[in-house]
Amino acid sequence: MAGQPIYILADGSQVTRGRDAQSNNILAGKAVANAVRTTLGPKGMDKMLVDSMGDVVITNDGATILKEMDIEHPTAKMIVEVAKTQDDEVGDGTTTAAVLAGEFLSKAEELLKKGVHPTIIATGYRQASKKAVEIVKSISIDISRDDTEALKKVAKTAITGKGAESHKEMLAELTVEAVSLIGEETDDGYVADVSDIKIEKQAGESVGESKLVKGLVLDKARTHPNMPEKVEDAKILVLSIPVEFKKTEMDAEIKISSPDQMQMFLDQEEKMVKQMTDKILNSGANVVFCQKGIDDLAQYYLEKAGVYAAKRLKKSDLDRICEATGATNIQDIDEITADDLGSAELVEERDIKGNKMTYVTGCREKKAVSIILHGGTQHVVDSLQHAIDDALHVVAVALEDGKVVAGGGSPEVELSMRLGEYASSLSGREQLAVAKFAEAFEVIPETLAENSGYDPINKLVELRSKHEEGNKRMGLNVYTGEIVDMWENDVIEPLRAKTQAINAGTEAAVMVLRIDDVVAASPHSNQASPEMPDMDMDM
């Protein structure tokens, strides 16, 4: 048996070990970070992404770029997850999170080359991350929920650099008003769920035509032109089933031997539709929103009864209507009762630049808010939606937490310096990891300067000099190149944007560093799960 190999892994699989595995993983992480690095800041560049169907996306939003890119490397996907989590939790700072994660890996690679063990680096990084969160919280600024000016500044900071700067004042006002309307006090504190804000996009007109509607806006018109354009004191019925005669579930043949039988068959279809509409009308509903189709005959009966009806609505819109008006989504037309109806003060059809839309205002259960965005082209409107979506999230986070920090690279410079001081107070090899972790934060002000056309080294030196003097809010004005007080220059970000980026970036970097073997299944393997590669074992 001596020297005989034992195969425990599938044929054709590959294994990468030790330093090679770590180097490949770090390289992949850095590549993803570098892909979005040039988009950082108000003067960051945009990326044009074309998918397999030929659809074009133009954006500088880190999460959108990484989501649209077809990334296969497993480590690269982990960095993408960092940006995705940042987007879900905060809404902004996705590029910062990805760039920081990549820089943490880059600095760790320098220590690996010096012979520092990965677990030592991981321990140091976790220690440094905890300290970094403490530091950034200590330099945060409290804001009240009534401070609309500060909230507008938070919104404008998120909108800047996303193609809507010329209208950011107006968009910031829309954002703050919308979030303030849906925010509410709960047992867990103040909560502002931005999913309650509906965004409708309309290509055409200028961005300045965008407006906020205190109610729901549905991109649907009446099903019949003779139906009432406006219904006051609306009793709303929501249906997820079609208002049509039921068709057979399987192929069926009906033999008709005389014209009378044919007429009886048609009369029966009419009778079925009439019974359905009678049940709707008997419930007391004067507005019907249906997810499926409404038969022409049913439309006629509803129109005669003065009922406003809209069909082919999206499921998400039906859910919003139910939540806002108190209606029940009906699955069986025989089960309709008056208690299932929702109510609103007004349901009406309005013509918005040639597009007929349904407005539901004065909802009973909760405040419903919609924002109608206009733009010259579809690409402009799509880019505007990304900007307003980010702004809504950051304003909601700022309202919930009540804490913000100055932007423009000022928190990162302060973190780098304070963590450097903290590192010198430690003993052991973890000190090296904390020091490198501190250095990694300098990538943000350096990148801001580089993307704005300034010398990154000179600007970093100037920033450090100002912070040494105790000016914690000093950051880079990307338009003038001067080092200024970011708070006075209205560049403000929610505290959670920084803490989330630090925590997520650290966890991703530590996870990558702890990998010393990469075992990849053969691409031709038919197994459902990855197989281990061939490994020889001498007996």
Side-chain angles (χ1 to χ4, degrees), residues 100-118:
L100 268 181
E103 193 66 11
F104 289 153
L105 289 172
S106 181
K107 295 297 179 184
E109 188 177 31
E110 294 176 17
L111 292 176
L112 288 171
K113 288 178 179 176
K114 291 180 179 178
V116 181
H117 198 276

Side-chain angles (χ1 to χ4, degrees), residues 471-488:
N471 301 311
K472 298 176 182 177
R473 299 174 187 170
M474 300 300 274
L476 174 66
N477 183 330
V478 297
Y479 300 104
T480 64
E482 296 174 355
I483 307 303
V484 295
D485 188 315
M486 287 289 116
W487 182 263
E488 292 178 1

Side-chain angles (χ1 to χ4, degrees), residues 335-441:
E335 301 295 323
I336 301 174
T337 65
D339 294 335
D340 295 323
L341 303 182
S343 62
E345 292 176 9
L346 181 66
V347 174
E348 65 175 327
E349 181 184 87
R350 295 187 196 173
D351 192 306
I352 307 296
K353 310 299 179 187
N355 293 313
K356 291 184 177 179
M357 306 178 86
T358 298
Y359 282 56
V360 183
T361 54
C363 299
R364 180 181 76 186
E365 287 298 312
K366 64 184 295 185
K367 291 177 181 175
V369 180
S370 301
I371 295 175
I372 302 175
L373 295 177
H374 290 280
T377 67
Q378 193 60 46
H379 289 311
V380 170
V381 179
D382 290 340
S383 178
L384 196 62
Q385 186 188 12
H386 288 308
I388 205 86
D389 196 47
D390 287 355
L392 289 169
H393 276 87
V394 295
V395 170
V397 166
L399 275 169
E400 288 174 356
D401 297 345
K403 289 183 180 293
V404 293
V405 293
S410 60
E412 286 80 12
V413 175
E414 189 67 19
L415 278 168
S416 178
M417 292 174 60
R418 297 269 289 275
L419 278 173
E421 293 169 8
Y422 172 67
S424 61
S425 70
L426 299 174
S427 58
R429 290 195 168 195
E430 285 83 359
Q431 180 193 52
L432 300 173
V434 175
K436 288 295 181 185
F437 191 90
E439 287 177 22
F441 284 103

